[in-house]
Amino acid sequence: MHFQIPYHLYRSKYPTKLLALYHSLRDSILDGVLSFETRLPSSRELAAIYGLSRGTVNVVYDMLNSEGYLRSEIGRGTFVSIHYEQRSAPDRPSKVYVLSAWGKRLMEQTTGDVSYLLPAAAVKQVDFHRFAPDIGLFPQEEWNRYLHATAKELTGQGILPRADVQGDYELRNNIAQYVRRARGIEGHPSQIVLFNGSMQAIALTVQLLVNPGDSVIIENPGYMGIRRAVHTAGGLIKPVPIDGQGIIPGDWNAKLLFVTPSRQFPTGVVLSMERRQQLLKWAYEQDAIIIEDDYDSEFRHRGKSLEPLKVLDREDRVIFIGSFSKTLLTGVRIGYAVLPASLVEPIRKAKALFEPQTTGLLEQRTLAAFMGSGSYERHLRRMKRTYSRKFECLQKWLNMLLSKLFAWVEGDAGLHIFGWWLGTEIAYIEFRDQCAFAGIRWSEVALPISLAEASAGADRVKYGAYFNFPHLSEEDIEYAIKRMEEVWKSIQR
């Protein structure tokens, strides 16, 4: 049977054959390449065409069946079940429509320019800028077994169950048990809401709590996604500096604070116990809410971490946001929030406005089974061992070869290492660009220096750099840092 989808193109974009096949079939349906009532090859035929196992094809067919893209008829085959025709581009320019104030603020946002990160041709590239987990550590066969079993269970029910907008209860229950064991947080499943990643949780919470003109306290430097969410909602961003103990508390006139206390993003400093108590006291006095973004603190390489801010909260003022994006396959987008009881129903209604029932039920139930069996925490322990070795390797080479260029922030946890540039602004830009040309790139922050701090003719920007390492081998890390040292020596010459 002749059958063509862009599977091989997608194989280079997705970490597994299963995801590549799923997305190439799904996108072919949405693009109109596979039209309504098109009969697909049998699992045996499709497996033979693309060199796959029948099990992989069956799982993908089950996933697309459960999501309504396909239907299977006994004795007849598998067919595309939705109308979705590809539309050709119009001959004339599209009309420009006037957006709302919210839409205009959204369009003002930028995601950062990385156009300078263009390596020379035919050079080895080591990318500290990109974040990705080490795919080789993921127990793919085990995950696929749970995925296949869950897909069979859902499709075997005939009519798919209506999914609670708050998320699958079993997964919320497993998350409640996990955060109690691992983080000391007491939260009932009824206080947990699942999201399509932590960013959806942040954006929806901001929309719900921030009026245009409201002041919102954020860390500086901090996560740009938070800044974009606040700006789009019309909030006034009040950036607060960071020092060696985390965010510097103040007597702010605001009702919302974003903070990363367990491991500040991006510097990695840990918020001291004294400051945690000061922030909670401020929230009580201002009748404010604190959003605690716990983005990668489960990866502790040495010592014991301080308790989350949520554990110290006795006034029900902290929203704790977590995510599985650092521990599962890249395409699995599941985040969660542990909420004060009074905010559960407002968050449910806000989420229902965008999705009347939770999306990704197949993945949620698969993760619930994965966690319930103990497989998730076994996987996490394996990741911690491997990432700790990579962390020590990167820290060793950075301290050994580049400590004259950067002031490295000491840390015992996380999946990147941060340092402040010690030289001039011009020297940093030249070093960064030359390293990019040599195939080495990283993420950066650029803090404007006030006129009061800088003398005439002095630097106007303070640069920091952070290096993501989970997806890299120890050999790649060593090569990259040595190459950076060579680039600096060549600049000096």
Side-chain angles (χ1 to χ4, degrees), residues 356-408:
Q357 54 181 313
T358 193
T359 57
L361 182 61
L362 177 63
E363 291 175 335
Q364 289 184 21
R365 291 200 173 177
T366 301
L367 178 56
F370 193 59
M371 294 183 77
S373 68
S375 297
Y376 176 73
E377 289 184 64
R378 285 194 296 273
H379 166 55
L380 201 56
R381 287 193 292 272
R382 287 193 296 268
M383 294 180 82
K384 286 180 179 179
R385 289 194 294 270
T386 301
Y387 289 169
S388 290
R389 290 196 299 270
K390 294 182 180 184
F391 172 84
E392 298 289 350
C393 174
L394 178 57
Q395 191 175 59
K396 178 186 76 173
W397 288 109
L398 289 174
N399 285 327
M400 187 183 302
L401 301 182
L402 300 180
S403 57
K404 292 182 179 179
L405 302 181
F406 293 91
W408 302 111

Side-chain angles (χ1 to χ4, degrees), residues 147-162:
L147 184 67
H148 194 188
T150 303
K152 286 183 66 176
E153 179 187 355
L154 288 175
T155 55
Q157 295 174 8
I159 299 175
L160 292 179
R162 184 172 179 82

Side-chain angles (χ1 to χ4, degrees), residues 166 186-193 310 316 337-341 344:
Q166 200 166 332
E186 291 293 335
H188 190 270
S190 63
Q191 292 176 258
I192 295 174
V193 177
K310 182 70 176 173
D316 222 15
V338 184
L339 298 165
V344 172

Side-chain angles (χ1 to χ4, degrees), residues 323-337:
S323 170
F324 294 94
S325 63
K326 303 288 192 298
T327 54
L328 300 180
L329 293 169
T330 306
V332 179
R333 298 287 302 164
I334 299 177
Y336 62 92

Side-chain angles (χ1 to χ4, degrees), residues 111-117 127-130 220-224 265-267 406 408 416-421 425 427-436 440-447 461-468:
T111 56
D113 179 22
V114 293
S115 58
Y116 67 86
L117 301 170
D127 190 356
F128 292 106
H129 171 73
R130 180 176 72 97
N220 189 34
Y223 179 44
M224 286 301 297
F265 182 86
T267 66
F406 293 91
W408 302 111
H416 69 256
I417 293 178
F418 181 90
W420 290 109
W421 176 252
E425 181 180 345
Y428 172 79
I429 292 171
E430 183 176 6
F431 179 59
R432 177 197 68 188
D433 293 352
Q434 289 293 331
C435 284
I440 316 298
R441 67 176 191 162
W442 57 82
S443 297
E444 68 177 32
V445 295
L447 294 185
V461 176
K462 179 182 180 182
Y463 282 99
Y466 58 100
F467 297 76
N468 297 304

